[in-house]
Every structure is written in C-alpha cells, then in structure tokens.
Amino acid sequence: MQPSRDIVLEALRDVIDPELGYNIVDLGLVYALKVADSIVHITMTMTTPGCPAQDYIMMAVCERGLRIPGVKDVDVTLVWEPRWSPVKMVPAARTYFDIPDDPHE
Amino acid sequence: MLGHHEHIGDLYECHLVTRLWIVRARGGKTLLTGGSMAPLTERLSRWTLITFACALANFLLAQALIVLGFTWPSAALTGGATLAAVHLVTIGWLTLLMLGALSQFVPVITSRALLDQRLSAAALVLIEVGLVGMVTGFVTRDMARAPCAWCLVVGGLSVCAGVVLALVNLATPLLRTRPLPLPGRFVRAGFLFLIVTMSLGLLFAFTLRASVSSHGPLLHLASGVGYHAIAGVGGWLTLTAMGVSYKLLSMFMLAPEERGVLGEVVLGLGITGFGLTVAAGLLDLVWHGSVMILAERAGWLLIGASISAYLADLVRLYRARKRRRIELHNRAAAGAFISLAAALVTAAILVISGRAARVAPPLVVLALLGWLGGLGLTQLYKVIPFLSWLTRFGKMIGRGWVPRVQDLVCEPCAALWFFLYFAGVWLTVVGAAIETPLPMRGGAALSTLATLGLSREYWRAWRGTYVRLPPAVSSHAPTIQREDLRHGHP
C-alpha cells in the first residue's frame, strides 16, 4: 500500500539544508509532492541557484523517500522558477530565523 | 500544516517553468540524470582547501617579514624584502585565495563545471614554485653580486604559466554562460586586469634582470610600479572581490541578489576607472602631457565613484537582508568595508595632493591587509566550514543525524581573532602613515597572531572539533533526532 503525501512530507523533514540548518519541507524548498502508483514525484528548489550542496540534498531526498514503506520509486525534479525566498518558509521557520511574518519578495 | 501542503500543490500546477535536473531512484539505486549541470564530483573543486592552506601559509610568511623588521620602513620601500613581502601577499595570499575561491564560486554562478580539475592543481604548483623563485630573486637582489637575479624572471614566468592555466580553467565556464550574472561579469573584468598586471610584472622582471646583468643603474621602477599595483590590487583583486562579495553576502544573509542599476554602475565605473588610470598613467611615462594627467585624474575620480557606489550598495544589501541575526563572517566583514572606505579617503588625499602615482604605504596596507585580506579571512570563516561539511557530511544527509554548517565553528572563539586582526591592521596603517617602525611592527604582530588564531579555527572546522553529537546518536541509538532536524539544533 502506497504512503500518503503527509507521511512522505513528514519523512522529508529528516533532510536539512546544511547552511540554514533547517528541514527542507518547512523551509518551503519542496514545491510539489505527488504519490502515484507507489512512486513519489517531488518538485523542489534550493535557496540559491548553483548551491554546492544541491546534489547532496537531492540525493538525500531520494534516499529518504525510498526508505518509506510502500515506496517503490522516487523522482526528484529541481526547478529554479519560482525563485525561493524566505516568504516560502512556514511561520515557525521564519520565527526561528527571526524573519518578519510578511517579508517582501 | 495541511494548509501548507495544499499550497505546495498549487505551486506545482501553476509555476513549474524550468526543469533543470532530475534525481531518480529505482530499485534502491539513486541516479542523477538529465539537466545541464555537471555531476556532483565535478562541481566540487578538490583543490580549493589545499589552495587556501597554501595561501594562508604565504600570508603568515609575509606578515613575519614585516614583524621581524625586514621590510619598509626599516628597509627601503623598493627594497628586496619589502617587494618580497608585497608579492607574498598579492600573489601568494590574495591571488591564490581568489583563484581557490573562484574554482568553487564559478561553478555556482554559472552552473557549469570547470574545464578540468587537474588544471587547478597544476596552477597551484606553478604559482607556488614561481613565488619561491620570485621571493628568492627579490631577497637576494640587494646583495652585492645578485646571486639569483634570474630567479625573478624564471619565478615570474612560472607564476604567469600557473595563472594562465587557472584562467583557462575558470574562464571557460564563464565564457560559455549567457547571460552572465553580475558577479560573473565582475570576475570576467577582474581576469582582464589580471592579464594586464601579469604582463606589466613580467616586463618589470625582465627590465630588472637586464639592468642587473649590465651592472647599470636600476631603472626608475617606482614610477611604473604604481600602475602595476593599481591594475593588480584594483582591477584584478578589488573588482573580483566586489563580485564575489555580492554573491556571498546575499546568499548567506538571504538578501536580494539583484543589484539593479547601482550594481551595474559599480561595475561600469570600476572597469573604466581602473582601465583609464592604468592606461593614462603608463602612457604618461612615455609621452608626458597634460592630457594624460587629466585622463589619469578622471580615472581616479571614476574609481572613487565606483567604490562609493559599492559601499552604498552594501549598506542597502545589509539593510535588505531577511536574516536579521547574521553570522560572524558577515559581521566581521564590516572591518574590511571600513578599511575600503578609509582607503578611498586616503587615495582622495593623495590625488588632491598630486601624489597619486607614488606607492603610498598606508594605502597599500589598507587595501591589501584591511580590505582584501580582511574580506578574505572573514569569508573563509564561512567557506571552509561549508566545504568541510560537504566533504565530511554531505553523503550522510537524510540517512541520520548530521550537524549544521554552523555547528562546525565556534563564533565566540573566532570573534576575538577578527577584532585583533583589524585592530592590528589599523595600527599598522598608523605606523605606515607616520613612517615609524614600532607601531607598524606591533600592529603586524597583532594581525599575525590573529591570522594564526583564525587558521587554527579553520583547521578545527575542517576537523569537526566543535561538532557535538546529540546524546541519542553518541550512544549509537539508531533513531534519527527528528526534533533537531526539524527545528535546527539548539
């Protein structure tokens, strides 16, 4: 039986952006997540284009996804549009970084 | 959290525009496929950290020469030991630092791999070997029989060969990228000035060799050396440092990367200003004339305008940052920017008093040790832990507990060293201004001590000395520390 999207998102909170030291889901780096036929399709971005850590993060997303019971395959697509900004963080993450609730884009 | 998940779904439907890279895992194997970027192993430069280590060693050697009193004002300004110390700083420390940083930075701004990793290693060896030759040539130059006059030429040629290799390696991805972002265009302009600096340096080396072998009087190098220095410290190092700082500061402070018109003004005025000053100044040595003097003055004015615009833009960048609590490397960088502003004022005084072409020691100390050296040391405090993290923990991410990059450093430990470094540099500037050895050597001793202290902090970051495993992990518990990962470490 394939896992729900919430279960996958919860698992992906194990993956951090090393520079910010916070998980990629609550940073708002995961733009889209779909589970179909036990395959997890993830569309994500990085905090800055060309980030040297990006391949490590994407590999980690893949490997963490594969460890979820019921997941057969994981597809991760990296996109640069729309560009990430702190406005995409969840409120708790913005509070952690002392970023105002309504930062301008 | 449900609302957040729904938001994710909306974005997928509406805004998926650019697909650059796909990671696909099947049957337990993870593969990188498609996209325009280089594979992981090619995008992380293997030679960056060793280049930084060599650069720091050269810097410490140069500082030791100043502390021990071998250089100006205890010796002549154009004396061998002074020139040896200057080239240890400009080539051994700053150029190596910049080339090492660019081997990591160029793939970031272009999303392309370097031409060949082996070129970075070859360039490092050639530059280091050449520098040994140059320093030997300078130090022995003042001796009665000049036992190693050829060292300067051979060493200079070796440095040039190394720089050419580095440029080929770095310029290839830059030239292939269209459109090139603003930081990349700063770097590209810096490369052009590096070629000019190198050519002038070789010319001086050959001239010096010829004058020594014919036992004739030394040519009036001091007048031309000033423009060699402006091309190197200004056109190459300062323009490149501006471009790199724009990217690094905005990236680590979550500030807007787009610099708009002001960024373009900084670049345009900088290229024109440094170019005009060097060209007019050199031509004036051959064809004296009021036009050349006027052009050189105009060049200085443009340089001043460029640096003023850059400093104003940095204030704008710091104010626009989203990350209110900034890390030590960005706080300490203020010391470098204050040094740049002080250098600007000093240069203005020199130009107004008609001494622009002379090599002015306080200006040189402010530019080399305060602005460029200070910026280098502060940014290394972020770059080295980041590269160390990628090397040591990159492949563990998502598999269990990993530290943050910040966990590799101890900011209170390094803050004191940064304070001492800039205090030492500014004391050295005072000593240079009043041409008195004691404050100059005392200031240099302070900054040398601070550089040693910071080198120790870099080493500790690389070794992971400050990393503290959470209790569950250190007792080999198999579970991942979810709360740590979710909210950052306390």
Side-chain angles (χ1 to χ4, degrees):
Chain A
M1 185 182 155
Q2 71 177 26
S4 69
R5 197 171 69 162
D6 283 355
I7 287 174
V8 177
L9 278 171
E10 188 60 23
L12 291 184
R13 286 192 173 86
D14 289 347
V15 180
I16 64 164
D17 176 299
E19 204 284 306
L20 291 173
Y22 213 89
N23 77 75
I24 59 166
V25 174
D26 291 340
L27 283 176
L29 295 177
V30 178
Y31 281 175
L33 195 152
K34 193 168 67 177
V35 185
D37 300 328
S38 295
I39 300 173
V40 177
H41 301 273
I42 298 163
T43 303
M44 65 178 295
T45 190
M46 298 287 150
T47 54
T48 187
C51 170
Q54 74 182 36
D55 298 339
Y56 292 109
I57 295 173
M58 291 168 70
M59 289 286 207
V61 167
C62 248
E63 292 187 8
R64 185 66 193 93
L66 277 176
R67 290 210 309 272
I68 301 168
V71 171
K72 284 196 300 190
D73 300 327
V74 180
D75 277 350
V76 183
T77 303
L78 180 67
V79 297
W80 297 126
E81 294 291 340
R83 281 285 288 272
W84 179 86
S85 82
V87 79
K88 292 181 169 51
M89 292 181 183
V90 299
R94 286 205 293 269
T95 304
Y96 178 78
F97 290 105
D98 200 15
I99 294 172
D101 278 343
D102 56 345
H104 299 295
E105 285 277 12
Chain B
M1 289 311 301
L2 186 62
H4 183 60
H5 295 177
E6 287 169 348
H7 184 55
I8 288 170
D10 293 343
L11 278 171
Y12 182 72
E13 293 299 325
C14 301
H15 300 293
L16 180 57
V17 177
T18 311
R19 170 178 278 226
L20 290 177
W21 193 266
I22 302 168
V23 178
R24 178 161 293 157
R26 291 195 190 283
K29 290 183 179 175
T30 309
L31 303 167
L32 280 169
T33 59
S36 59
M37 290 187 179
L40 176 70
T41 50
E42 289 178 25
R43 285 209 286 133
L44 266 183
S45 174
R46 290 191 293 272
W47 298 97
T48 303
L49 287 171
I50 189 79
T51 305
F52 289 159
C54 292
L56 278 167
N58 292 330
F59 188 33
L60 285 165
L61 186 58
Q63 287 175 307
L65 285 176
I66 302 171
V67 173
L68 296 173
F70 290 119
T71 62
W72 185 91
S74 304
L77 190 60
T78 53
T82 306
L83 290 178
V86 166
H87 286 83
L88 274 170
V89 172
T90 51
I91 298 173
W93 161 230
L94 295 170
T95 296
L96 272 186
L97 170 74
M98 209 60 90
L99 293 177
L102 287 174
S103 67
Q104 200 59 58
F105 180 75
V106 166
V108 170
I109 54 173
T110 62
S111 297
R112 291 175 187 276
L114 301 177
L115 186 62
D116 193 327
Q117 294 272 357
R118 288 170 297 187
L119 288 177
S120 301
L124 175 62
V125 171
L126 283 170
I127 292 172
E128 272 297 337
V129 170
L131 191 60
V132 170
M134 285 182 71
V135 168
T136 309
F138 279 128
V139 170
T140 58
R141 198 195 67 177
D142 300 338
M143 294 179 180
R145 294 194 305 181
C148 198
W150 57 269
C151 287
L152 200 55
V153 174
V154 175
L157 284 170
S158 178
V159 167
C160 288
V163 168
V164 167
L165 287 186
L167 285 182
V168 168
N169 199 21
L170 294 166
T172 303
L174 277 180
L175 294 175
R176 286 176 180 167
T177 304
R178 296 279 188 284
L180 192 59
L182 183 69
R185 284 185 281 133
F186 271 96
V187 174
R188 193 172 58 187
F191 284 169
L192 289 176
F193 279 100
L194 178 57
I195 293 168
V196 171
T197 310
M198 209 166 54
S199 308
L200 288 174
L202 264 189
L203 186 68
F204 288 132
F206 277 113
T207 308
L208 196 63
R209 172 79 186 95
S211 65
V212 168
S213 62
S214 63
H215 300 287
L218 289 179
L219 295 180
H220 297 291
L221 284 176
S223 52
V225 160
Y227 302 106
H228 168 61
I230 293 165
V233 178
W236 154 231
L237 292 167
T238 293
L239 284 182
T240 308
M242 284 174 167
V244 173
S245 65
Y246 268 144
K247 178 70 180 180
L248 289 184
L249 292 173
S250 57
M251 191 162 74
F252 291 128
M253 292 197 297
L254 301 180
E257 285 189 18
E258 291 74 22
R259 304 317 311 153
V261 177
L262 200 51
E264 300 293 339
V265 166
V266 174
L267 178 61
L269 292 180
I271 294 173
T272 316
F274 286 118
L276 193 59
T277 305
V278 173
L282 287 173
L283 285 173
D284 188 50
L285 294 176
V286 186
W287 298 292
H288 297 288
S290 57
V291 176
M292 294 304 169
I293 294 171
L294 202 65
E296 192 187 333
R297 291 273 172 103
W300 277 106
L301 203 64
L302 294 177
I303 293 170
S306 170
I307 293 174
S308 303
Y310 171 70
L311 290 170
D313 202 22
L314 284 184
V315 172
R316 200 168 62 110
L317 191 149
Y318 268 80
R319 283 184 177 164
R321 73 184 192 274
K322 300 290 188 296
R323 205 169 180 173
R324 307 316 300 171
R325 288 192 309 269
I326 54 176
E327 294 167 295
L328 178 62
H329 69 286
N330 284 331
R331 294 198 304 275
F337 302 133
I338 290 169
S339 299
L340 180 61
L344 184 65
V345 173
T346 309
I349 293 169
L350 287 171
V351 170
I352 291 166
S353 61
R355 292 182 293 160
R358 282 188 53 194
V359 177
L363 182 60
V364 170
V365 175
L366 274 171
L368 291 183
L369 305 187
W371 153 233
L372 294 163
L375 188 71
L377 286 174
T378 54
Q379 297 313 299
L380 279 184
Y381 194 65
K382 184 67 183 186
V383 173
I384 289 177
F386 195 72
L387 293 178
S388 304
W389 189 96
L390 291 178
T391 308
R392 289 177 172 269
F393 302 105
K395 289 180 180 170
M396 292 161 61
I397 187 171
R399 295 178 178 178
W401 184 88
V402 286
R404 303 171 305 169
V405 174
Q406 296 94 317
D407 296 326
L408 270 61
V409 298
C410 168
E411 290 200 350
C413 308
L416 175 69
W417 296 124
F418 281 122
F419 174 79
L420 284 180
Y421 179 79
F422 285 110
V425 167
W426 293 331
L427 185 58
T428 310
V429 172
V430 172
I434 60 176
E435 302 191 7
T436 309
L438 191 63
M440 192 158 170
R441 290 173 63 184
L446 262 186
S447 56
T448 307
L449 182 70
T451 308
L452 275 171
L454 287 168
S455 301
R456 184 166 171 251
E457 293 302 312
Y458 302 145
W459 175 252
R460 287 180 161 187
W462 163 249
R463 296 281 307 198
T465 306
Y466 294 118
V467 175
R468 293 284 175 267
L469 294 177
V473 174
S474 58
S475 62
H476 306 289
T479 54
I480 294 167
Q481 301 304 297
R482 300 296 295 275
E483 289 307 308
D484 279 348
L485 290 164
R486 182 176 302 183
H487 301 301
H489 303 284

